[in-house]
């Protein structure tokens, strides 16, 4: 096995499927099946999901809403997504725990590092909700922070494109995909992988990132088995 413990970062938009907003149960079921395949190999899986399919704090702030209030609404959106994914995983007979940075004890456990690691060691999928619990930090930053705290081997960023390109592949047919690229080269070329805070934190802690297409069936399994899928960012 290429990795023993992974952190999977999913965008909220990924849960929409073909919808314009909200959550697509069919997409959730597909993701649950993919994650189950990885868990059955004995790989420990932690997950961070965005909330953009429900609400974005930055968008709210741009329309006159207080940024802190908007970010807290965004954190709650990630909890909703976490509950939805937890339900889908449990329907697939995968033991799952949802831990949140904001205390909502009626629906999820509060985030405690040692408890999170213990759940992972017992083979449970751990979903981290509510970001870092602080405004002005993205779920990318939450993903890197939690990955470092629970000693994940890698961050797997599931997107709708199959890696990192020198140009936007959705706008430029001549865009060139990287199989491997260094943190320094990403910064030098101004490529968008994560927000600067998250990316720098990952670089400083020598935590590799793999960007891959989560919507292609079997890709998650191929990545954890070490196949050349997506783009790997390393030192």
């Amino acid at each position: 096995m290429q990795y023993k413990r992974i952190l999977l970062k999913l965008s909220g938009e990924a849960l929409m499927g073909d919808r314009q907003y909200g959550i697509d149960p069919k997409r959730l079921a597909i993701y649950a099946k993919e994650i189950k395949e990885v868990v059955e190999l004995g790989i420990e899986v932690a997950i961070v999901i965005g909330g953009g399919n429900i609400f974005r704090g930055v968008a709210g702030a741009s329309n006159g809403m207080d940024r802190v209030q908007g970010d807290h609404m965004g954190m709650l959106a990630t909890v909703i997504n976490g509950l939805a994914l937890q339900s889908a995983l449990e329907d697939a007979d995968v033991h799952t725990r949802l831990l949140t940075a904001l205390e909502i004890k009626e629906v999820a456990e509060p985030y405690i590092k040692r408890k999170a690691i213990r759940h992972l060691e017992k083979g449970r999928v751990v979903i981290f909700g509510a970001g870092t619990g602080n405004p002005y930090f993205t779920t990318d930053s939450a993903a890197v922070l939690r990955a470092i705290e629970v000693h994940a081997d890698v961050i797997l960023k599931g997107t709708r494109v199959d890696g990192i390109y020198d140009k936007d592949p959705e706008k430029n047919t001549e865009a060139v995909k990287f199989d491997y690229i260094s943190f320094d080269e990403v910064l030098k070329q101004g490529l968008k992988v994560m927000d600067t805070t998250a990316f720098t934190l990952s670089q400083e802690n020598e935590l590799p990132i793999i960007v891959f297409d989560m919507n292609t069936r079997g890709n998650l399994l191929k990545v954890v088995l070490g196949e050349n899928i997506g783009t790997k960012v390393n030192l």
Side-chain angles (χ1 to χ4, degrees), residues 52-73:
N53 57 320
I54 299 173
F55 188 85
R56 282 187 178 275
V58 173
S62 68
N63 290 316
M65 180 180 290
D66 177 75
R67 173 65 189 272
V68 174
Q69 293 287 85
D71 280 356
H72 279 130
M73 292 171 69

Side-chain angles (χ1 to χ4, degrees), residues 165-177:
Y165 288 76
D166 62 345
K167 305 178 186 67
D168 187 342
E170 296 182 341
K171 297 179 181 178
N172 194 321
T173 57
E174 297 181 356
V176 177
K177 176 178 170 286

Side-chain angles (χ1 to χ4, degrees), residues 22-173:
I23 300 170
D24 179 4
K26 292 181 180 178
R27 179 56 58 85
L28 275 178
I30 291 170
Y31 282 174
K33 186 175 181 180
E34 299 252 331
I35 293 165
K36 181 178 181 178
E37 290 176 353
V38 172
V39 172
E40 288 178 339
L41 291 176
I43 296 170
E44 298 170 7
V45 180
I47 303 172
V48 170
I49 314 177
N53 57 320
I54 299 173
F55 188 85
R56 282 187 178 275
V58 173
S62 68
N63 290 316
M65 180 180 290
D66 177 75
R67 173 65 189 272
V68 174
Q69 293 287 85
D71 280 356
H72 279 130
M73 292 171 69
M75 291 178 209
L76 294 176
T78 70
V79 176
I80 292 172
N81 286 339
L83 285 167
L85 182 59
Q86 181 182 40
S87 178
L89 285 165
E90 289 178 342
D91 284 344
D93 296 321
V94 178
H95 295 293
T96 310
R97 294 292 186 274
L98 174 62
L99 278 62
T100 59
L102 298 176
E103 188 170 341
I104 317 174
K105 61 184 179 180
E106 287 78 11
V107 297
E109 298 178 18
Y111 170 71
I112 299 171
K113 172 190 170 181
R114 291 179 184 275
K115 182 174 284 189
I117 292 174
R118 185 60 178 149
H119 285 320
L120 290 167
E121 289 173 343
K122 288 185 175 181
R124 299 165 182 156
V125 172
V126 175
I127 303 171
F128 297 116
T132 66
N134 301 290
Y136 298 100
F137 289 92
T138 66
T139 50
D140 277 349
S141 292
V144 176
L145 179 61
R146 297 291 182 248
I148 294 167
E149 288 178 323
V150 302
H151 312 298
D153 300 315
V154 65
I155 294 177
L156 305 182
K157 184 168 183 179
T159 67
R160 61 185 183 186
V161 294
D162 62 344
I164 301 171
Y165 288 76
D166 62 345
K167 305 178 186 67
D168 187 342
E170 296 182 341
K171 297 179 181 178
N172 194 321
T173 57

